[in-house]
Amino acid sequence: MKILIIEDEFIIRKALRHLLEHMELEGVCIHEIVEAEDGIDADILLQQESFDIVFTDINMPEMDGLSLLAKSANYNPAAQWVILSGYDSFKFAQRAILHGAKDYLLKPITKEKLNETMLRLVDNIKKEQDDFIDIKEIEGMLLDLESSIWVLDENLVTETIAKWTDNMAKKQLKQSYYQNVMNHILKTLVERINQKGSINLDAAISLSEESIDQITRKYQDICIEMINKTRFQRKGKIIDPIEAAKDYMLKNVCAKVNLDDVAQKLGLNSSYFSQLFKRETGQTFVEYRIHLRMETAKQLLERSDLRIIDIASEIGYDDAPHFAKTFKKYTGISPKEYRQSLGIEA
């Protein structure tokens, strides 16, 4: 849901924004809040962008709220308008309703009154467009795409968007509303991936296609492009998280480093890191850790001044028999036999 606040008084405008940002209403998901200080600026915004809800002061210099409402009906007819006023006047309220406003709020605006108004507006939007995209559907889409892009899986991206397309086809959605939702998902997706670290995707991209199908196709193209950029940046100048993980594990081979430790060190989600590690190396984290320890053990076994029990401890094993068993499984011979094969007395 995209909202426009038109109010020339800074404190009132920011107070309303704060209330909207901290609302906790079932099924209400505000994607973006835009502000305008006067009717002239708001008129330009309304011609350039589509909004689901508009809050406007009734008294503003140059262009008042009612004049703006009447004018915008030509190019933003789907918006739900709420008139704000400091006067408790039936005449003002009647004029607002006649001009097409859905509600009339008195200043100062209370949390309770705003909640009541928002619930009515959301209900109006649902009825007018015959359907609505639930916040759970949006979050599910985000989580699936975030995972798919992070592990560089184009097939998962395609499958996720195909499933989304099938679900959206069952709804009767307005193009402007769908565009707002998809831009919100796109913006949030980019932010989440960038927050994982090591990646810097463009946060300014947006969708402005002419139909719902075109918006969805463009969205899929952008997701695939994200995968390509992520892959390139990992292999380019920006540090590769898998190489960073290997380096950290090597430097800490004697410590009891687990998958969660390494993921946290890199600032990555553990499950994403696990999938990415397996995809990039062909081994699970545990398999690679064993490989690293055993190769390090081989090097240490070449030193005759080190006891096998000390080598076990050096590579993170408290139990020497467990180390010997793992080493034999990895090499086919015991640590003692390995030393003997090098001509070193055990």
Side-chain angles (χ1 to χ4, degrees):
M1 183 177 296
K2 190 173 181 180
I3 296 176
L4 174 62
I5 301 173
I6 312 164
E7 170 61 65
D8 58 342
E9 293 187 48
F10 177 83
I11 294 177
I12 294 176
R13 190 171 69 248
K14 294 302 179 182
L16 177 54
R17 184 187 187 103
H18 178 80
L19 287 173
L20 288 167
E21 288 176 337
H22 292 82
M23 289 183 65
E24 294 183 0
L25 299 178
E26 182 69 28
V28 176
C29 179
I30 298 173
H31 310 139
E32 184 178 1
I33 300 175
V34 180
E35 299 179 28
E37 296 182 7
D38 55 53
I40 301 299
D41 289 344
D43 187 37
I44 295 172
L45 282 169
L46 287 162
Q47 292 183 56
Q48 295 175 343
E49 304 178 41
S50 58
F51 295 91
D52 300 297
I53 297 174
V54 179
F55 290 90
T56 182
D57 187 10
I58 197 169
N59 291 315
M60 292 183 294
E62 297 188 64
M63 185 182 295
D64 63 67
L66 294 183
S67 299
L68 185 61
L69 168 56
K71 185 178 180 182
S72 73
N74 298 318
Y75 41 76
N76 219 319
Q80 304 278 314
W81 285 70
V82 179
I83 300 297
L84 311 175
S85 177
Y87 302 98
D88 187 5
S89 167
F90 175 74
K91 181 180 178 182
F92 274 133
Q94 189 178 42
R95 284 179 58 202
I97 300 301
L98 287 173
H99 277 75
K102 299 299 181 183
D103 213 335
Y104 182 89
L105 285 177
L106 288 175
K107 303 175 186 178
I109 301 165
T110 65
K111 178 180 178 181
E112 292 72 22
K113 284 292 184 182
L114 182 61
N115 285 0
E116 291 175 7
T117 295
M118 285 296 291
L119 284 173
R120 281 198 295 273
L121 296 177
V122 170
D123 189 53
N124 288 340
I125 291 172
K126 289 180 179 179
K127 289 177 181 177
E128 289 191 9
Q129 65 179 28
D130 300 324
D131 223 321
F132 203 64
I133 304 176
D134 190 88
I135 189 171
K136 292 179 181 178
E137 292 179 284
I138 294 172
E139 186 58 29
M141 170 77 148
L142 272 168
L143 289 173
D144 289 344
L145 287 176
E146 183 184 352
S147 172
S148 304
I149 291 170
W150 192 248
V151 298
L152 309 177
D153 196 324
E154 294 186 17
N155 290 331
L156 273 177
V157 166
T158 304
E159 290 172 12
T160 298
I161 294 180
K163 182 179 177 182
W164 170 268
T165 302
D166 289 342
N167 290 337
M168 294 305 105
K170 302 170 186 175
K171 303 176 183 289
Q172 300 295 319
L173 301 169
K174 284 189 171 66
Q175 185 271 345
S176 59
Y177 167 75
Y178 185 73
Q179 180 174 302
N180 287 340
V181 171
M182 295 303 284
N183 272 319
H184 162 69
I185 296 175
L186 179 58
K187 179 182 177 182
T188 306
L189 181 61
V190 171
E191 288 174 352
R192 289 187 182 183
I193 292 175
N194 284 343
Q195 285 170 2
K196 290 179 179 297
S198 302
I199 303 300
N200 183 25
L201 299 176
D202 185 4
I205 52 178
S206 61
L207 300 158
S208 57
E209 314 319 303
E210 296 181 357
S211 70
I212 287 177
D213 286 343
Q214 288 177 339
I215 290 171
T216 306
R217 285 197 295 271
K218 180 64 175 178
Y219 187 85
Q220 179 168 313
D221 291 342
I222 291 174
C223 287
I224 299 300
E225 187 179 346
M226 283 186 197
I227 287 180
N228 293 331
K229 287 182 178 180
T230 300
R231 183 183 290 114
F232 174 77
Q233 290 186 28
R234 283 178 182 162
K235 299 299 182 185
K237 294 180 180 179
I238 297 176
I239 189 168
D240 185 330
I242 299 305
E243 292 305 316
K246 288 180 178 180
D247 184 59
Y248 179 75
M249 292 168 72
L250 180 60
K251 289 177 179 177
N252 294 275
V253 70
C254 63
K256 294 181 177 63
V257 175
N258 59 34
L259 185 143
D260 290 337
D261 295 330
V262 180
Q264 185 176 13
K265 181 70 178 178
L266 297 173
L268 306 178
N269 177 280
S270 296
S271 61
Y272 291 146
F273 172 63
S274 176
Q275 294 176 57
L276 183 62
F277 194 91
K278 176 68 182 294
R279 183 182 181 86
E280 293 289 308
T281 67
Q283 294 177 296
T284 66
F285 178 87
V286 172
E287 288 170 344
Y288 183 79
R289 185 177 60 187
I290 290 172
H291 160 78
L292 192 61
R293 286 175 168 176
M294 295 304 104
E295 290 301 319
T296 303
K298 286 181 181 180
Q299 296 174 20
L300 296 175
L301 285 166
E302 294 173 8
R303 294 175 51 184
S304 59
D305 60 318
L306 291 177
R307 298 183 303 167
I308 291 176
I309 191 171
D310 295 328
I311 292 173
S313 178
E314 189 71 19
I315 61 172
Y317 286 91
D318 293 332
D319 185 353
H322 181 212
F323 158 65
K325 182 179 180 181
T326 305
F327 188 88
K328 185 170 185 177
K329 184 177 180 181
Y330 181 80
T331 64
I333 55 177
S334 70
K336 182 178 179 180
E337 291 169 334
Y338 183 80
R339 267 191 166 168
Q340 291 173 341
S341 71
L342 298 174
I344 299 173
E345 290 186 11

